[in-house]
């Protein structure tokens, strides 16, 4: 059993999330991708954040037709802030013993890694798959090469002993877990933009799953 943990605020889920999860699943031959909406994300303000139950139901509907996708409410049920390391431990505790598990995240989330609780432990515990993201604000001009940027972040903040292997596009370490760099189809959609469009009474069709669009209008979210 190989599983992927895909955390985020999913405020709301959009087709960028869906597609990268599908591409990662296929490339890494995952048996399951767990979408895990954050309860109270540590790095984002609560302002403009739809209730956890709504974000959860939008994900449930969006993933219903894909047998490889599952939505987990572990972070919503836990009190206090949502920390990835706690979620990882919780998912490990329910997976069969010999399971493999990776954490999936976009480049923008990876860039903030040093602000995460116990981030050193995280890289000792679980493989990480970092998905490229277009128009990532941290990456412009000379730093547009996302591999170079990843290398900087990894060597300066995680461990100097990581080495890049261009053949497998991953950073390997003698003791810590592998960090993969994965170039997914560039889809320049963000939840921030979806919320802006809804507030401005503009169409969000073909940016979010149809069920998500319907749900947002029914519940009058983001207006
Ligand atoms: P917001 O605009 O509210 O910050 P978001 O669109 O970044 O939201 P999140 O729920 O924060 O969505 O994202 C969950 C994870 O998915 C993060 O690791 C993020 O980097 C990644 N991600 C989101 N959208 C994309 C995309 N279009 N391409 C690649 N990765 C993405």
């Amino acid at each position: 059993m190989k599983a992927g943990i895909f955390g985020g605020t999913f405020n709301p889920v959009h087709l960028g999330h869906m597609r990268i999860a599908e591409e990662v699943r296929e490339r890494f031959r995952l048996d399951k991708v767990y979408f895990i909406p954050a309860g109270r994300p540590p790095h984002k303000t609560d302002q403009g954040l739809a209730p956890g139950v709504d974000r959860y139901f939008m994900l449930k509907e969006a993933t219903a037709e894909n047998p490889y996708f599952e939505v987990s409410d572990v972070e919503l049920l836990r009190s206090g802030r949502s920390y990835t390391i706690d979620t990882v431990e919780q998912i490990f505790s329910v997976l069969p013993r010999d399971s493999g598990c990776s954490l999936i995240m976009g480049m923008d989330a990876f860039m903030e890694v040093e602000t995460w609780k116990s981030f050193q432990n995280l890289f000792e515990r679980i493989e990480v798959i970092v998905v490229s993201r277009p128009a990532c604000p941290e990456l412009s001009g000379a730093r547009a090469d996302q591999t170079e940027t990843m290398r900087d972040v990894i060597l300066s903040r995680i461990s100097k002993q990581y080495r890049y292997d261009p053949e497998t596009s991953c950073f390997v370490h003698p003791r810590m877990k592998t960090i993969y760099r994965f170039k997914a189809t560039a889809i320049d959609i963000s939840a921030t933009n979806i919320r802006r469009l809804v507030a401005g009474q503009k169409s969000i069709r073909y940016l979010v799953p149809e069920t998500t669009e319907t749900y947002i209008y029914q519940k009058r979210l983001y207006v």
Side-chain angles (χ1 to χ4, degrees):
M1 160 84 173
K2 270 182 93 180
I5 297 178
F6 188 24
T9 33
F10 300 108
N11 184 39
V13 59
H14 54 67
L15 292 179
H17 296 130
M18 302 299 290
R19 182 63 203 172
I20 64 170
E22 178 67 0
E23 290 189 17
V24 168
R25 178 199 67 74
E26 193 169 46
R27 156 70 178 79
F28 292 89
R29 304 209 175 111
L30 304 180
D31 301 296
K32 275 277 174 244
V33 176
Y34 292 97
F35 288 70
I36 309 189
R40 294 174 63 208
H43 303 115
K44 297 195 181 181
T45 56
D46 291 353
Q47 215 193 5
L49 185 66
V53 63
D54 290 323
R55 292 180 287 116
Y56 176 80
F57 276 123
M58 287 189 277
L59 273 169
K60 275 296 241 190
E61 288 183 334
T63 56
E65 307 266 280
N66 189 325
Y68 297 104
F69 289 176
E70 203 140 309
V71 188
S72 162
D73 57 6
V74 285
E75 290 200 357
L76 297 175
L77 296 178
R78 230 168 35 219
S79 57
R81 294 267 165 200
S82 303
Y83 293 107
T84 304
I85 184 82
D86 302 333
T87 302
V88 165
E89 294 303 343
Q90 209 168 341
I91 296 287
F92 268 128
S93 72
V94 296
L95 288 176
R97 255 182 170 277
D98 57 349
S99 302
C101 194
S102 319
L103 194 61
I104 305 165
M105 69 181 75
M107 184 64 90
D108 57 316
F110 183 73
M111 301 286 288
E112 294 182 353
V113 74
E114 67 185 319
T115 64
W116 299 3
K117 180 184 154 198
S118 315
F119 72 95
Q120 296 280 352
N121 291 351
L122 193 67
F123 291 93
E124 281 167 8
R125 196 79 178 95
I126 189 166
E127 284 181 357
V128 177
I129 300 169
V130 182
V131 182
S132 51
R133 183 161 189 184
C136 185
E138 294 85 352
L139 303 166
S140 57
R143 301 182 63 80
D145 181 344
Q146 299 195 0
T147 307
E148 277 309 306
T149 310
M150 258 185 89
R151 191 201 306 270
D152 288 354
V153 172
I154 292 171
L155 296 186
S156 66
R157 298 173 207 168
I158 305 171
S159 166
K160 286 198 172 21
Q161 289 188 64
Y162 270 105
R163 291 283 168 266
Y164 185 62
D165 174 7
E167 262 180 33
T168 50
S169 300
C170 62
F171 292 84
V172 288
H173 191 279
R175 190 173 41 84
M176 295 166 97
K177 300 286 188 188
T178 300
I179 305 172
Y180 293 87
R181 152 127 172 72
F182 180 62
K183 286 189 200 175
T185 302
I187 302 174
D188 195 2
I189 303 178
S190 72
T192 303
N193 195 39
I194 308 284
R195 296 194 298 276
R196 260 192 221 127
L197 290 170
V198 175
Q201 296 181 316
K202 294 271 199 284
S203 167
I204 54 168
R205 203 170 180 194
Y206 311 124
L207 293 175
V208 296
E210 280 179 36
T211 52
T212 307
E213 188 190 2
T214 308
Y215 193 98
I216 288 173
Y217 294 144
Q218 270 175 358
K219 295 279 175 141
R220 300 185 51 78
L221 300 178
Y222 313 123
V223 285

